[in-house]
Amino acid sequence: MCARHAPRRRPLVLAIGMLCFSLQVAAQAPIETDDGAPEESGRGLALDAVVVTASAIPVSKMRASSSVSTLGVEQVAESAPRSTAEIFRNLPGVRSESTGGEGNANIAVRGLPVAAGGAKFLQLHEDGLPVMEFGDIAFGNADIFLRADATLDRIEAVRGGSASTFASNSPGGVINLISKTGEFAGGSVALNYGLGYDNLRTDFEYGAPIGDGWNFHIGGFWRQGEGVRRAGYDGESGGQIKGNLTRQFEQGYARVYFKRLDDRAIGYLPMPVRASGRNSDPDLGSLPGFDPRSDTPHSAFFLSNLGLDGENNRRRSDIADGMRPQSTAFGAEFAFDLGGDWSVLNRFRIADNSGRFISPFPAEASGGEGLAASIGGAGARLVYANGPQAGQAFSGQALRIHLFDVEINDFGNAQNDLQLTRAFALGSGEASLKGGLYVSRQSIDMDWLWNSYALELKGDNAALLNVIGADGTVFSQGGQYAYGVPFWGNCCTRSYDTDYSVEAPYLAFTHNLGAWDFDLSLRRDSGKARGSYAGSVQRENFDVDGNGVISPNERSVSVISAVRQPVNYDWSYTSYSAGANYLFSDDLGGFARISRGGRANADRLLFGVVAADGSVRSQDAIDLVDQLEFGLKYRSGPLNLFVTAFRAETEEQNFEATSQRFLDRVYTANGVEFEAAWYSGPIALSGGLTLTDAEISRDAITPQFEGNRPRRQARAIYQFTGSYAGERWLAGLNLIGTTDAYAQDNNVLVMPGYTQVNLFGEYELRDGLSVGVSVNNLFDTLGLTEVEEGAIVEGQDNILRARSINGRTANLVLRYSF
């Protein structure tokens, strides 16, 4: 009998049916070469490695008609990452703005835009299925619910191409994190300790065959500490455990797996940065008392928030929760040869996802007198609300804080992907025909419960500030001057409870004809959005704190409206992809591909695009991406080279919470992507370079931006890793870099390019026992990935609100492998 496992607050009847149908599960097979031998890790580009992500049939990179990259565990470690998103920076063509901390990264590929946040056109998969059906859910980006740990076997990244037809909502590509499955006995324990900052993390994993065709793997991590920036409290606490059990049969395998993630990590939002000079070449640096590389507005004096919940009842939240994903997932996969050249593969997963996102956003940085006057009128002043100077007068720079406080009630999802393949002879070659059906359901149920505070501009335990009027009226309590965000028109007290279902049949044909490999695939996505949402209304004289007195900040309180608006619309779109690969020789191949893919828009359409009856125009419900690619793969001895030229045209409908604006655009991007590796004896070199020429080709809302380069889109991004291996040691460096980019679409303020240098080294003390050191951002570079402002006043000091890469951090790792 099938067990029932449903996300909180809503039974997923569809998911239970899929579970009963799929029965059992597995993840992907290990990297193999064409002859079945394991691919040597960390050497070259593994052009003979068989790739299983977003492809009609398992095929080697050399014969694939798409751009594919793989990262093994050694390559991941060599980039000295401090989060999962930092790993993705080492994938050619991928722009991973990983400055949000452990999650909340903005991820784009090949000039496709990051117009609002998240990874709209790119899917993050875990063992072949999406972590979230939509990669840009507001305050629920897929990477928040994804952690790379010691259970990781490898990462496969398919950019463009076949991703359009082998995964829903992912025309830009798929990044697939594939887990170890225990085919070989062994495990490891690693202790990771921050040098100069507070971080302690333990990773563990073990797997082995256990006889009679069975094998298993289990592992995870636990961590505790302040984190890479000075927060004044333990900003990171929690962990993950994953496990799988596989039964190998003569004609296939079946696997079940689970994951429990309960983690807490700070979500870093834009923070103050000094800027002077010219818009075209700004001079960036620190403000007195605040270093944007190592500080944060988070503070030990700012840990509690009093307000209302999604039903307008009194509620107190813990700011230390930060990004708090809680996920319990169960999955199953089976793959069998049915005989007669027929085979079947089925993947299933159901996940109960919930949690919280809470972090201070600086809506304004200004002098204290101006901030006080804007709240309490002429003559108002600021005093310290807490901290060692509580009650004393404040003078200096201050921040108007909008506390992004979001309850993630239910982000549960369920997916099933069934594939049936028939292989047959065709002419003098071999062919296959695959039919598949993908079915999913994604819940998006959350409450936005934002409040307003005044905080001193300081990086080491900033204190909250109260506003005192000229007549002595106290306009704030404990630094909180409003229940809501009046500075933004009280826009953002919101509640929505929506469900999105997807059904996508697809068909793929492949034909191998000597040196030629052809493939053609077609997918039809159909979806439904159902639910309701409610916005903010002002309630007068609401005693939120329950003390029987109406304080000035309780005279007008943002509450969620009792009138809920319906969400009731359907969408559908057709995707296609056709490619051909030709092997000029065993060491030279070329390919071409044309694709069209789609992306359905979800929660970001609410509060502005959805009509009163819940409907949405078809042109708003989906965005289409047309792509063209040409590539060459070459190897000669120790040299491997992969070059891809690309063109993409992208439709974009979106909404950005921080700027409160909708977007209706078309983008075009042309470019070329280089990936290369060279190795000789103890030396290994690898790297990537992506050149992109992108523009806003149509803008229905702000036509003055037509012809401009999209914000944060650099003309070049690059990665490089070099290492030298001795008899018992390894050392090397990793470079991540970008050229200049515009801060906003008006193309006025430039974000200067930068290069981040990371170092790594490891020494084997004895067999199985090693000690390693990694240094992230060796030269303490200030590198901006996003800026809220579009221009500065030239010739004077300005305060930008921006996200910078983390400053220099070093880690010590003690690892025992057995």
Side-chain angles (χ1 to χ4, degrees), residues 31 103-104 139 180 196 230 247 269 289 454 469 513 519 521 622 645 694 711 745:
I31 297 179
N104 198 37
F139 304 104
K180 298 175 182 177
R230 292 187 287 265
R247 176 68 162 92
L269 297 177
L513 192 63
D519 67 271
S521 50
I622 59 172
R711 67 175 187 172
D745 296 320

Side-chain angles (χ1 to χ4, degrees), residues 374-450:
S374 70
I375 298 170
R381 56 192 174 88
L382 295 176
V383 300
Y384 287 96
N386 59 10
Q389 296 175 275
Q392 298 181 30
F394 172 82
S395 62
Q397 300 289 332
L399 298 175
R400 184 193 306 269
I401 293 294
H402 288 173
L403 186 64
F404 287 3
D405 188 353
V406 177
E407 285 286 355
I408 300 173
N409 301 315
D410 185 1
F411 278 6
N413 56 41
Q415 305 122 356
N416 197 89
D417 190 7
L418 172 65
Q419 304 174 9
L420 189 63
T421 304
R422 171 76 159 88
F424 54 93
L426 181 63
S428 59
E430 299 177 347
S432 72
L433 186 64
K434 171 179 287 187
L437 176 63
Y438 173 78
V439 183
S440 79
R441 181 167 176 175
Q442 176 72 59
S443 296
I444 306 180
D445 179 351
M446 69 172 124
D447 302 320
W448 295 18
L449 309 165
W450 301 5

Side-chain angles (χ1 to χ4, degrees), residues 26 28 30 180-185 206-218 243-249 252-256:
Q28 309 290 348
K180 298 175 182 177
T181 53
E183 283 85 359
F184 307 98
Y206 180 73
I210 50 178
D212 196 26
W214 291 89
N215 50 276
F216 78 97
H217 194 272
I218 190 168
N244 56 67
L245 179 65
T246 304
R247 176 68 162 92
Q248 302 284 350
F249 299 94
Y253 66 88
R255 181 173 300 137
V256 294

Side-chain angles (χ1 to χ4, degrees), residues 55 86 102 145 165 174 255 257 322 334 339 345 353 366 423 446 461 514 591 625 669 700 793 807:
S55 61
E86 287 197 359
E102 188 60 59
F145 290 85
T165 51
V174 172
R255 181 173 300 137
Y257 64 86
F334 66 79
L345 169 66
N353 301 317
S366 65
M446 69 172 124
N461 281 327
F591 75 89
V625 180
V793 178

Side-chain angles (χ1 to χ4, degrees), residues 790-804:
I792 61 173
V793 178
E794 297 186 347
Q796 68 179 51
D797 280 349
N798 300 257
I799 300 178
L800 299 179
R801 296 163 300 149
R803 292 206 301 190
S804 170

Side-chain angles (χ1 to χ4, degrees), residues 267-286:
Y268 298 113
L269 297 177
M271 52 196 69
V273 177
R274 178 191 56 79
S276 59
R278 296 171 296 156
N279 278 291
S280 59
D281 186 22
D283 177 34
L284 306 176
S286 301

